[in-house]
Amino acid sequence: MDNIKTIEKIAYKQPAVIFNEFDPLKDEILRIIDNDGHVINEELFPELDDETVIKAYKSMLFARVADDMAVSFQRQGRMYTYPPINGQEAIQIAAGLIIREDDWLVPAFREMAIMLAKGVTLREIFLYYMGNEQGSNFSKAKHVLPICVPIASQLIHATGIGYSINYQKKDEVVFPYVGDGGTSEGDFSEALNFAGVWKVPVIFTIQNNQYAISFPVSGQTRSVNLAVKAVAFGLPGIKVDGNDFFAMYVAYKQAFDHARAGKGPVLIEALTYRKGAHTTSDDPSKYRTKEEEMEWDKTDPLQRLKKYIVRKGIWKEDEEKLIEEYKLEVEKQFTEAENFTPYPLEDVFQFMYVDTPDVLNIQKEDYKLYQNWKESRK
Amino acid sequence: MDNIKTIEKIAYKQPAVIFNEFDPLKDEILRIIDNDGHVINEELFPELDDETVIKAYKSMLFARVADDMAVSFQRQGRMYTYPPINGQEAIQIAAGLIIREDDWLVPAFREMAIMLAKGVTLREIFLYYMGNEQGSNFSKAKHVLPICVPIASQLIHATGIGYSINYQKKDEVVFPYVGDGGTSEGDFSEALNFAGVWKVPVIFTIQNNQYAISFPVSGQTRSVNLAVKAVAFGLPGIKVDGNDFFAMYVAYKQAFDHARAGKGPVLIEALTYRKGAHTTSDDPSKYRTKEEEMEWDKTDPLQRLKKYIVRKGIWKEDEEKLIEEYKLEVEKQFTEAENFTPYPLEDVFQFMYVDTPDVLNIQKEDYKLYQNWKESRK
Amino acid sequence: MSVMTIVQAINNALDIMLEEDKSVVVYGEDSGREGGVFRVTEGLQKKYGVERVFDSPLAESAIVGTGLGMALSGLRPVVELQFDGFTYPAFNQIISNVSRMHNRSRGMYKVPMVIRFPYGGGINALEHHSESPEALYAHIPGLKVVIPSSPHDAKGLLISCIESDDPVIYMEPKRIYRAIKQEVSDDKFSIPLGKAKVLTEGSDVTVVAFGAMIRECQKAMVMAKEAGISVELIDLRTIYPIDKETIAESIKKTGRIVIVAEAPESFSVGAELMAIANEEAFLYLEAPPKRVMGFDTIVPLAKGEPMYMITPDRIFYEIERTVKY
Amino acid sequence: MSVMTIVQAINNALDIMLEEDKSVVVYGEDSGREGGVFRVTEGLQKKYGVERVFDSPLAESAIVGTGLGMALSGLRPVVELQFDGFTYPAFNQIISNVSRMHNRSRGMYKVPMVIRFPYGGGINALEHHSESPEALYAHIPGLKVVIPSSPHDAKGLLISCIESDDPVIYMEPKRIYRAIKQEVSDDKFSIPLGKAKVLTEGSDVTVVAFGAMIRECQKAMVMAKEAGISVELIDLRTIYPIDKETIAESIKKTGRIVIVAEAPESFSVGAELMAIANEEAFLYLEAPPKRVMGFDTIVPLAKGEPMYMITPDRIFYEIERTVKY
Ligand SMILES: Cc1ncc(C[n+]2csc(CCOP(=O)(O)OP(=O)(O)O)c2C)c(N)n1
Ligand SMILES: Cc1ncc(C[n+]2csc(CCOP(=O)(O)OP(=O)(O)O)c2C)c(N)n1
Ligand SMILES: [Mg+2]
Ligand SMILES: [Mg+2]
């Protein structure tokens, strides 16, 4: 009766080893170090030299410093609404080690750390949150899409980019991000379904930080977890401890090899916690307890990795000094953003179209007339 | 780490017995009689008295006759585009035995047989396909929504009705329908997800008739089947031989008991075949082979049930005569629809709002002025 | 009487209707426990329970579509969409189902349902948080579209919307959510849908606006007064059905009309108002009707937004030009 | 030169562009093997292979959103949505992403993408198969909206759309898909976007229309001629950006304008055209601009549709009233 199934089906756990070992249906989770930085899964421990691990830790630290400062810049009224990434650094820095220059990053809006890793400058990120779209015109980073606010819609773009890659016979891989809340949007399902059908090289990451603004993930769905949603689209899915840098690295590494080998898309649920507010306009005390926050504090990705490297005896730096350095760097980039040229009237109109219709020019000229009039009254 | 999972999760195969036994992940299928009408699963054979089985067969036969005649009425130019249900009768008539007067039917557009079972008159159905919306104002049937053309959008309405039922502490059950193609729409996923979270009494049926217009189900998704999509939303899901009346009956019976007992929604994938064209404007020979059609012909739900009842010796009727009777009945209802009062100008305006804005009345009066002018020129 | 902001007035209207009618339910993203990102529904879940005021999963099509299902089966849902720019995932449900179920079923079903969301710019927000899509919804047959401009109107209009047996899009001017305080009756009262309100009588020019632009127009009128121009200010209140009569009456008096709204100018409510001016008062027009509206662009981010947003002096400038025509 | 219908002309334009530019891909529901429900893409999959012309799963948001992803990464997708009424599930992708990616990224990314779909009534169709949503799309900043009225235009405009680096909504008048046959050049040629075309010159009244209504207007003009009325007929061709100049020029000549379109009248392209008449030619207007448009209702099913659809004699009736004003 199923004789017309002409397209081969990916069984939900056929591919890369790792996706076989941790069954989302049984709610299994990939974890490599525990909260104290002890290795609990030697077998899967990745081959990473110490230098790389240290570099990763420093990138996480830099992201944390930049994030904290962003929040305080916002409080000082020097920036507008900003969504902190505090607590989600391991996921993004692990991905940052894997993603290559010509791979594609398709962010939601809480991906500052991987954007930095991909070559977006802090200056650009700050400029954006200062309310200037020029911050999304990346000067150095290649193949990074601007922040996408309409939840989950960006996942579909990633699938489309994946089609292009296959079509153009390139070997690029696409890294789209979404939150736990975003898995409820229809676009999430459509993106994964098309990705499966087209067998595109796309690694979908759900940053499950437990909340969609005030709403806990427990209310988003009755599925046993979010990784299991891959089953509905014939994708391999895996649940990973997102605050465990090594686990994230291993998952990304395998997913990347899988995708580049033409084996199609995968779904990674990265379990983490949004330590900060949803955005600077949000007050988490309205909807969650201090106890819960403290419970999750124990899993903090930076502390965990730090404990590992300290115990291994490979940490030689003075962290305080490092933080001071980072602060100066962040400050510098922030100042550059603050000193960016004022927003000209042209920028309101110029980028709506490649081939700008007359009506926009007329509106602009009309506005100038009004400005002149205003000037003349002074 | 999962300590904030406050809402209990439905494991995908927790509930009603039947959903345990046939695991969609293993692509298992519930089937009770084979193509020759032999019982192949005695254990699950439902307790149905002969009379009911005969009645069901006759309802299927009636639906087939009505459907065939609808197609030929359309060919004669007496009706507009019509989507035949030929081949999908077992699913709908099995549901018809279960669904009560105050349960809700939420059709897509290929549910003529269950609409009849629910009390919609053939006259109304014909009237609708003659191009008169009055055919969707059901005179007798209660709790039936009009045909819904935007694919999968109706599933969400069903979930909302389910919420009302729980809220009002009623014990009604909702029966929404969708096709295989419809499972790719975002609304399908959103409907199932909300249904799971709200634990509503909704039985989602996918009539997997192998095609979405010209596109085979094999292209819609890489999931192993469609029932398995339930996993993504924490619902029980089952794949059933939709051309096996008894299997469909058993699945619906258990789903119904499950839903009414407040255990929440279920998903049924009913495997069937659209024997006819997509609609009367479609030509299947463009995209499928005669061989394939003949292969599926062997599974025809009417023939199968007929073989069973004949073998069991409970078939006493003269089928030819029965068909003649049915034809007369269909003819009668069709004639009534054809003799329906002409479509008045009022009907264009009257139902857009309960509280009609002036602008509609003005447009109507303006149109009358034009009509008068036109009259006057004759 | 209590002094209320628009946020409080809406909350109060919801409170009254939840209290009075058990079939009213209120939900949306973050609308329950937190009381919505603007705290419009604050306190209601506590008072009426999680079955009547609740958080929904994050999916606008489902929020609206389930609301429709509820409306068909005995409830009167008031659903909240979080921002103007996030109403579009629900567009198909709104245009293809919500607005049509009554017509599709030839009156067998009614759709007593309200879809609320904050709209408009001027709050230095991220993209998609500053939009004015009223023209899109006003063009859809079967919907009513309502926009209040004051706490009093916000309450009275919302009560009418909830009591309406037709589906209503209720757009809340977020920029003035808390900017205007006003004495509002604590009792239940309603304001009829489909009727505009003459806020100030005048003789030289008619200014038509709605929502957050009313306040800007009022500021411009101070300047106009100084310049000796008598402005008649009309608050549309309901975008669809639009109150042609009140507008036409006013133009017949003043001979001039200036339309102020935030949305992109082309194919806008401004265009419809100009059409009405022509259809209903052609012979009275002494100057071309004028739209003072947003550019045909996305509302810029904070640094560019001041150029996009319509200011009182720009309104005055256009009023003066129209009067001098 | 070959005699072509609109269906054939579109197919021919796609064929030429697929041939010329490997970055062009064509897909949508049933667009591949079957060649689309209207057979517009027939034969193209055979010629260019399943990677370039293909069937997609059934999900409009994904069809449009993947198209955007392709456009950002080097392709020029031409996606097909099956009917006007099924474009709405893709509305969020269109309005929130497709139309804005160029602006959002400050020019870093371009979106060379075409979204095609058949539109309009008059074919006795089911609900959602007879709609004219051009006003919705024309109000969205960042899009262009194009509607041809003849085989020649269908080809030349579509080629321009595919070559455009801006996203374009290309709406096909399904009612006349096969009704008009015309000699069309077999070569590649293009027609500029944003320019209307004066189809017939005249002096008494300007009639502006587009798509399937052009043919109805031409029939009405036969009646007008008999009645001694000289009509100037303008085919908009592009709805956005709308060609204000050509319209204004014509009104300045005739002093009168009648607008003919199928969509519901309120908040429509008709309203925008009336606004333009006022803004650009106020002093020349000798009669109120007139909209001859659909009612503010859903297009009725077949039995009611003839009352909704605009007929040549209704157009003539309104032309005559406007001229006699
Ligand atoms: C389509 C859409 N609806 C609503 C919003 C408003 N909104 C912004 S963030 C957010 C919650 C997102 O939660 P999640 O997906 O878990 O991501 P997180 O913020 O936790 O990173 C919501 C509802 C939006 N941006 N887009
Ligand atoms: C949102 C939407 N997109 C497209 C269509 C056009 N259309 C009508 S039926 C159909 C195929 C449906 O296939 P399936 O869901 O398998 O149902 P079946 O026709 O086989 O019963 C399509 C694409 C539609 N009705 N609604
Ligand atoms: Mg989250
Ligand atoms: Mg099907």
Side-chain angles (χ1 to χ4, degrees):
Chain A
M1 229 164 174
D2 299 339
N3 56 348
I4 60 151
K5 283 194 181 156
T6 50
I7 297 184
E8 126 230 30
K9 303 274 162 178
I10 305 176
Y12 69 97
K13 37 184 209 164
Q14 238 175 43
V17 178
I18 207 82
F19 294 94
N20 278 329
E21 281 182 30
F22 298 88
D23 186 349
L25 285 161
K26 300 193 190 115
D27 204 22
E28 290 169 345
I29 183 166
L30 168 60
R31 183 175 288 136
I32 290 182
I33 55 170
D34 68 12
N35 290 347
D36 287 322
H38 292 289
V39 178
I40 56 171
N41 191 333
E42 288 287 357
E43 202 186 328
L44 287 178
F45 198 85
E47 284 179 37
L48 275 173
D49 53 35
D50 292 346
E51 208 180 323
T52 307
V53 176
I54 296 295
K55 203 184 117 210
Y57 176 73
K58 286 166 132 186
S59 302
M60 283 164 65
L61 189 64
F62 183 80
R64 172 97 28 121
V65 169
D67 191 68
D68 285 347
M69 286 177 73
V71 172
S72 68
F73 289 137
Q74 194 282 333
R75 292 232 175 87
Q76 296 160 22
R78 298 162 76 190
M79 243 174 55
Y80 297 102
T81 313
Y82 171 79
I85 69 149
N86 195 319
Q88 306 184 202
E89 298 87 350
I91 300 163
Q92 299 182 32
I93 296 300
L97 286 186
I98 307 273
I99 195 169
R100 300 166 314 173
E101 205 200 342
D102 61 348
D103 290 331
W104 291 79
L105 175 61
V106 181
F109 51 82
R110 205 183 295 284
E111 280 77 29
M112 186 261 274
I114 183 167
M115 287 175 81
L116 292 180
K118 190 79 173 59
V120 177
T121 66
L122 247 189
R123 184 186 66 95
E124 287 161 346
I125 291 173
F126 286 142
L127 187 60
Y128 177 83
Y129 288 110
M130 283 173 188
N132 192 328
E133 293 86 347
Q134 289 290 0
S136 293
N137 183 359
F138 309 128
S139 55
K140 292 180 203 148
K142 203 182 132 183
H143 289 181
V144 181
L145 262 49
I147 277 172
C148 187
V149 177
I151 303 283
S153 65
Q154 72 280 2
L155 302 178
I156 296 186
H157 314 154
T159 297
I161 294 171
Y163 190 90
S164 285
I165 292 170
N166 284 351
Y167 180 83
Q168 296 163 339
K169 306 215 186 321
K170 294 186 175 168
D171 72 348
E172 299 159 5
V173 172
V174 194
F175 287 72
Y177 284 79
V178 70
D180 45 301
T183 62
S184 295
E185 288 281 5
D187 275 5
F188 170 86
S189 294
E190 294 190 11
L192 267 67
N193 194 50
F194 270 57
V197 170
W198 290 349
K199 219 175 172 186
V200 289
V202 180
I203 301 172
F204 294 96
T205 303
I206 303 168
Q207 294 200 80
N208 177 1
N209 63 6
Q210 310 303 323
Y211 284 90
I213 310 188
S214 71
F215 195 51
V217 63
S218 52
Q220 284 293 344
T221 183
R222 292 239 183 207
S223 68
V224 284
N225 51 49
L226 304 178
V228 86
K229 290 181 186 278
V231 171
F233 314 105
L235 268 54
I238 189 169
K239 180 168 154 181
V240 185
D241 183 339
N243 288 356
D244 175 347
F245 165 76
F246 295 109
M248 283 310 306
Y249 179 82
V250 168
Y252 273 125
K253 184 78 182 65
Q254 297 217 14
F256 183 78
D257 293 344
H258 175 84
R260 278 198 80 190
K263 293 186 187 163
V266 307
L267 175 66
I268 297 176
E269 175 187 2
L271 215 65
T272 184
Y273 193 72
R274 194 196 72 213
K275 294 183 70 173
H278 169 69
T279 66
T280 45
S281 343
D282 173 53
D283 173 10
S285 75
K286 293 248 171 202
Y287 52 82
R288 68 189 193 190
T289 63
K290 270 271 156 287
E291 292 70 53
E292 180 190 301
E293 290 178 2
M294 282 161 60
E295 206 48 51
W296 278 93
D297 266 347
K298 298 177 189 156
T299 73
D300 183 274
L302 268 76
Q303 286 172 36
R304 249 159 111 173
L305 186 54
K306 181 77 181 293
K307 283 178 187 157
Y308 168 84
I309 55 184
V310 167
R311 179 168 304 114
K312 202 175 172 197
I314 56 175
W315 181 245
K316 312 280 185 224
E317 313 250 5
D318 176 346
E319 182 150 333
E320 294 301 306
K321 223 184 97 204
L322 217 51
I323 290 175
E324 286 316 306
E325 264 173 42
Y326 290 171
K327 279 189 177 165
L328 284 176
E329 175 61 22
V330 173
E331 194 80 56
K332 182 169 152 274
Q333 302 244 4
F334 189 80
T335 309
E336 277 184 38
E338 273 191 328
N339 293 333
F340 194 81
T341 41
Y343 198 117
L345 181 62
E346 277 63 32
D347 273 22
V348 176
F349 293 94
Q350 188 171 341
F351 305 100
M352 285 310 307
Y353 294 87
V354 176
D355 173 28
T356 302
D358 286 347
V359 56
L360 292 192
N361 293 325
I362 291 166
Q363 290 175 354
K364 188 171 66 183
E365 293 310 318
D366 273 358
Y367 191 79
K368 284 186 189 159
L369 288 181
Y370 150 70
Q371 281 182 315
N372 292 344
W373 167 84
K374 202 175 153 185
E375 274 310 307
S376 73
R377 278 166 53 99
K378 273 188 185 155
Chain B
M1 227 161 177
D2 299 336
N3 56 351
I4 61 151
K5 283 193 179 154
T6 51
I7 296 184
E8 126 232 29
K9 304 271 161 178
I10 305 175
Y12 69 98
K13 40 185 208 164
Q14 240 176 40
V17 179
I18 207 82
F19 294 94
N20 279 329
E21 281 181 31
F22 298 87
D23 187 351
L25 285 160
K26 302 196 188 112
D27 204 24
E28 290 169 347
I29 183 166
L30 168 61
R31 183 174 289 135
I32 291 184
I33 55 170
D34 68 12
N35 290 347
D36 286 324
H38 291 290
V39 178
I40 56 171
N41 191 333
E42 286 288 356
E43 203 187 327
L44 288 176
F45 198 86
E47 283 178 37
L48 276 173
D49 54 34
D50 292 346
E51 208 180 322
T52 307
V53 177
I54 296 294
K55 204 183 116 211
Y57 177 73
K58 286 167 130 184
S59 302
M60 284 164 63
L61 188 64
F62 183 79
R64 172 92 35 118
V65 169
D67 190 68
D68 286 347
M69 288 178 73
V71 173
S72 69
F73 290 137
Q74 195 281 336
R75 294 234 173 84
Q76 296 160 25
R78 297 163 76 189
M79 239 172 58
Y80 297 102
T81 313
Y82 171 80
I85 68 151
N86 194 322
Q88 307 183 201
E89 298 87 349
I91 301 164
Q92 299 183 32
I93 296 301
L97 286 185
I98 306 273
I99 195 168
R100 298 165 316 173
E101 206 199 342
D102 60 350
D103 291 330
W104 291 78
L105 174 61
V106 181
F109 50 82
R110 204 182 299 282
E111 280 75 31
M112 185 261 272
I114 182 167
M115 287 174 81
L116 293 180
K118 191 76 172 66
V120 176
T121 65
L122 247 190
R123 183 186 66 98
E124 287 161 345
I125 292 172
F126 287 142
L127 187 59
Y128 177 83
Y129 289 108
M130 284 172 188
N132 192 327
E133 293 86 347
Q134 289 290 0
S136 294
N137 182 0
F138 309 127
S139 55
K140 290 181 202 145
K142 202 180 131 182
H143 289 182
V144 181
L145 262 49
I147 278 172
C148 186
V149 178
I151 302 284
S153 65
Q154 72 279 3
L155 302 179
I156 297 187
H157 314 154
T159 297
I161 295 170
Y163 190 91
S164 284
I165 293 170
N166 285 351
Y167 181 84
Q168 296 163 338
K169 307 211 186 326
K170 295 185 176 170
D171 71 349
E172 299 158 4
V173 173
V174 194
F175 288 72
Y177 284 79
V178 71
D180 45 303
T183 63
S184 295
E185 288 279 5
D187 274 5
F188 171 85
S189 294
E190 294 191 10
L192 266 66
N193 194 50
F194 270 56
V197 170
W198 290 349
K199 219 176 173 184
V200 289
V202 179
I203 302 172
F204 294 96
T205 303
I206 303 166
Q207 294 199 79
N208 177 0
N209 64 6
Q210 310 303 323
Y211 284 91
I213 311 188
S214 71
F215 195 51
V217 64
S218 53
Q220 285 292 345
T221 184
R222 292 240 184 204
S223 69
V224 284
N225 51 50
L226 303 178
V228 86
K229 289 180 187 279
V231 172
F233 315 104
L235 269 52
I238 189 168
K239 180 168 156 183
V240 186
D241 183 340
N243 287 356
D244 174 347
F245 166 77
F246 294 110
M248 283 311 305
Y249 179 81
V250 168
Y252 272 125
K253 183 78 180 63
Q254 296 217 13
F256 184 78
D257 293 344
H258 175 85
R260 277 198 79 188
K263 292 184 187 164
V266 306
L267 175 66
I268 296 176
E269 174 187 2
L271 216 65
T272 183
Y273 193 73
R274 195 196 73 211
K275 295 183 68 173
H278 169 69
T279 65
T280 44
S281 343
D282 172 55
D283 172 10
S285 75
K286 292 247 170 202
Y287 52 82
R288 67 189 195 192
T289 61
K290 269 272 156 288
E291 294 70 52
E292 178 189 303
E293 289 178 2
M294 281 162 60
E295 205 49 49
W296 277 94
D297 266 348
K298 297 178 191 158
T299 73
D300 183 274
L302 268 76
Q303 286 172 35
R304 250 159 112 172
L305 186 56
K306 180 77 182 293
K307 283 178 187 158
Y308 168 85
I309 55 184
V310 166
R311 179 168 304 115
K312 201 175 172 197
I314 58 177
W315 182 247
K316 312 278 184 228
E317 312 254 2
D318 176 346
E319 184 152 329
E320 293 302 305
K321 223 184 96 207
L322 216 50
I323 290 174
E324 284 318 306
E325 264 173 41
Y326 291 169
K327 281 190 174 161
L328 283 177
E329 176 60 21
V330 173
E331 194 80 57
K332 180 167 154 276
Q333 302 245 4
F334 189 82
T335 310
E336 278 184 38
E338 273 191 327
N339 293 334
F340 195 81
T341 41
Y343 198 118
L345 181 61
E346 278 62 34
D347 273 21
V348 176
F349 294 93
Q350 189 172 342
F351 303 101
M352 284 312 304
Y353 295 88
V354 176
D355 174 27
T356 302
D358 286 348
V359 57
L360 292 192
N361 293 324
I362 291 166
Q363 289 175 353
K364 187 171 69 184
E365 293 310 317
D366 273 358
Y367 191 80
K368 283 188 190 158
L369 289 181
Y370 150 70
Q371 282 182 314
N372 291 343
W373 167 85
K374 200 173 154 186
E375 273 312 305
S376 73
R377 278 165 53 97
K378 275 190 186 151
Chain C
M1 287 292 215
S2 303
V3 174
M4 295 186 197
T5 60
I6 289 181
V7 161
Q8 289 164 334
I10 295 171
N11 184 286
N12 184 236
L14 292 170
D15 193 355
I16 288 171
M17 295 310 294
L18 281 159
E19 178 77 43
E20 179 183 297
D21 184 350
K22 248 224 102 176
S23 67
V24 175
V25 294
V26 171
Y27 64 101
E29 292 156 14
D30 307 286
S31 312
R33 173 139 53 148
E34 188 185 49
V37 290
F38 287 105
R39 307 288 184 268
V40 174
T41 54
E42 191 153 44
L44 298 175
Q45 182 177 79
K46 233 183 194 146
K47 193 159 171 191
Y48 297 102
V50 292
E51 302 210 321
R52 300 195 60 201
V53 180
F54 53 98
D55 295 313
S56 77
L58 208 176
E60 292 75 12
S61 184
I63 291 171
V64 168
T66 54
L68 173 56
M70 293 180 200
L72 301 178
S73 53
L75 303 189
R76 298 186 94 82
V78 182
V79 304
E80 177 177 275
L81 300 177
Q82 206 159 64
F83 279 94
D84 33 64
F86 309 134
T87 62
Y88 310 127
F91 203 73
N92 186 46
Q93 285 290 351
I94 296 172
I95 191 168
S96 301
N97 292 312
V98 169
S99 66
R100 304 178 168 207
M101 199 52 96
H102 184 253
N103 184 63
R104 185 180 295 158
S105 70
R106 281 300 185 244
M108 182 173 58
Y109 289 106
K110 289 179 193 153
V111 184
M113 159 172 196
V114 181
I115 301 172
R116 295 175 39 235
F117 59 86
Y119 90 96
I123 62 158
N124 299 321
L126 289 171
E127 201 186 342
H128 315 280
H129 293 71
S130 307
E131 298 177 21
S132 300
E134 65 278 355
L136 301 178
Y137 294 108
H139 185 54
I140 300 176
L143 296 178
K144 296 188 175 180
V145 181
V146 172
I147 305 184
S149 68
S150 69
H152 172 267
D153 283 14
K155 176 170 173 178
L157 287 169
L158 181 53
I159 288 174
S160 294
C161 292
I162 299 176
E163 290 188 327
S164 162
D165 279 336
D166 295 307
V168 187
I169 305 285
Y170 181 84
M171 295 170 55
E172 304 171 2
K174 68 169 93 81
R175 184 185 181 185
I176 54 168
Y177 254 158
R178 296 188 154 81
I180 302 175
K181 289 188 177 144
Q182 199 182 33
E183 289 272 351
V184 179
S185 164
D186 296 311
D187 298 335
K188 179 178 169 184
F189 67 91
S190 61
I191 296 174
L193 305 185
K195 292 299 292 171
K197 180 164 184 176
V198 179
L199 289 182
T200 313
E201 295 198 22
S203 53
D204 294 333
V205 56
T206 300
V207 171
V208 181
F210 51 89
M213 284 299 110
I214 291 293
R215 202 179 56 152
E216 307 306 292
C217 290
Q218 283 166 334
K219 289 181 192 161
M221 283 163 69
V222 176
M223 302 166 79
K225 203 171 176 187
E226 276 168 23
I229 301 170
S230 166
V231 173
E232 175 140 317
L233 179 62
I234 298 180
D235 180 359
L236 269 188
R237 279 181 167 175
T238 300
I239 310 297
Y240 192 90
I242 203 162
D243 183 354
K244 300 190 185 195
E245 214 179 302
T246 300
I247 296 156
E249 280 316 306
S250 181
I251 298 174
K252 285 180 186 165
K253 191 166 70 176
T254 64
R256 290 173 160 85
I257 175 170
V258 171
I259 300 145
V260 182
E262 294 173 50
E265 177 170 290
S266 296
F267 303 87
S268 62
V269 173
E272 181 61 27
L273 283 164
M274 291 175 83
I276 290 168
N278 279 265
E279 285 166 348
E280 309 290 330
F282 181 72
L283 293 176
Y284 298 84
L285 285 173
E286 289 161 35
K290 176 71 199 168
R291 300 186 266 196
V292 188
M293 293 197 58
F295 309 129
D296 284 8
T297 69
I298 306 308
V299 182
L301 295 186
K303 288 267 195 277
E305 196 183 20
M307 292 177 275
Y308 183 99
M309 290 305 294
I310 291 148
T311 52
D313 61 4
R314 189 159 147 226
I315 299 169
F316 169 67
Y317 165 73
E318 297 290 4
I319 286 175
E320 201 183 39
R321 291 214 305 175
T322 298
V323 171
K324 285 194 184 150
Y325 183 85
Chain D
M1 288 293 220
S2 303
V3 174
M4 296 186 196
T5 62
I6 288 181
V7 161
Q8 288 163 333
I10 295 171
N11 183 286
N12 183 237
L14 292 170
D15 194 353
I16 288 172
M17 294 309 293
L18 281 160
E19 179 78 44
E20 176 183 299
D21 184 350
K22 246 222 101 179
S23 66
V24 174
V25 295
V26 171
Y27 65 100
E29 291 156 14
D30 306 286
S31 312
R33 169 136 58 148
E34 188 185 48
V37 290
F38 287 105
R39 307 286 184 267
V40 173
T41 53
E42 191 153 43
L44 298 175
Q45 182 177 78
K46 243 196 185 128
K47 192 159 171 193
Y48 297 101
V50 293
E51 302 209 321
R52 300 194 61 200
V53 180
F54 54 98
D55 294 314
S56 77
L58 208 177
E60 292 76 11
S61 184
I63 291 171
V64 168
T66 54
L68 172 56
M70 293 179 200
L72 301 177
S73 52
L75 303 189
R76 298 187 94 83
V78 182
V79 304
E80 177 175 277
L81 298 177
Q82 205 158 65
F83 278 95
D84 34 64
F86 308 135
T87 63
Y88 309 126
F91 203 72
N92 185 46
Q93 286 290 351
I94 296 172
I95 189 168
S96 301
N97 292 313
V98 169
S99 66
R100 302 178 169 206
M101 199 52 96
H102 184 254
N103 183 63
R104 184 180 295 158
S105 70
R106 281 300 185 243
M108 183 174 56
Y109 289 106
K110 290 179 191 156
V111 184
M113 160 173 193
V114 181
I115 301 170
R116 294 175 41 234
F117 57 86
Y119 89 95
I123 62 157
N124 298 322
L126 287 172
E127 201 186 341
H128 314 281
H129 293 71
S130 307
E131 299 179 18
S132 301
E134 65 278 356
L136 301 177
Y137 294 109
H139 184 54
I140 300 176
L143 296 178
K144 297 189 174 181
V145 181
V146 171
I147 306 183
S149 69
S150 69
H152 172 266
D153 284 14
K155 176 171 174 179
L157 287 168
L158 182 53
I159 288 174
S160 294
C161 293
I162 298 175
E163 291 189 327
S164 163
D165 279 337
D166 295 307
V168 188
I169 305 285
Y170 181 86
M171 296 171 56
E172 304 170 2
K174 68 171 92 80
R175 184 185 181 184
I176 53 169
Y177 256 156
R178 298 190 152 78
I180 302 174
K181 288 187 177 145
Q182 198 181 31
E183 289 271 352
V184 178
S185 162
D186 295 310
D187 300 336
K188 181 180 169 184
F189 66 92
S190 61
I191 296 174
L193 306 185
K195 294 298 296 170
K197 181 166 188 184
V198 179
L199 289 182
T200 312
E201 295 198 23
S203 54
D204 295 333
V205 57
T206 299
V207 172
V208 182
F210 51 88
M213 284 299 110
I214 292 292
R215 198 178 59 152
E216 306 308 292
C217 289
Q218 283 165 334
K219 289 181 192 160
M221 282 162 69
V222 176
M223 302 165 79
K225 201 169 179 186
E226 276 170 23
I229 301 170
S230 165
V231 172
E232 176 140 316
L233 179 62
I234 298 181
D235 180 358
L236 271 188
R237 279 182 166 174
T238 300
I239 309 297
Y240 192 91
I242 201 163
D243 182 355
K244 297 190 186 195
E245 213 178 304
T246 301
I247 296 156
E249 280 316 306
S250 180
I251 298 173
K252 284 179 187 165
K253 188 166 71 175
T254 63
R256 292 176 158 81
I257 174 171
V258 170
I259 300 144
V260 182
E262 293 174 50
E265 175 171 290
S266 296
F267 302 87
S268 61
V269 173
E272 181 62 27
L273 284 164
M274 291 176 82
I276 291 169
N278 278 265
E279 286 167 347
E280 310 288 331
F282 181 72
L283 293 176
Y284 299 83
L285 286 173
E286 289 162 34
K290 175 71 198 170
R291 303 185 266 199
V292 188
M293 294 197 57
F295 309 129
D296 285 8
T297 69
I298 306 307
V299 182
L301 296 185
K303 287 267 195 281
E305 196 182 21
M307 291 176 276
Y308 183 99
M309 291 306 293
I310 291 147
T311 50
D313 60 4
R314 191 159 145 227
I315 299 169
F316 169 68
Y317 165 72
E318 297 290 2
I319 287 175
E320 200 182 42
R321 291 216 306 176
T322 298
V323 171
K324 284 193 183 153
Y325 181 84

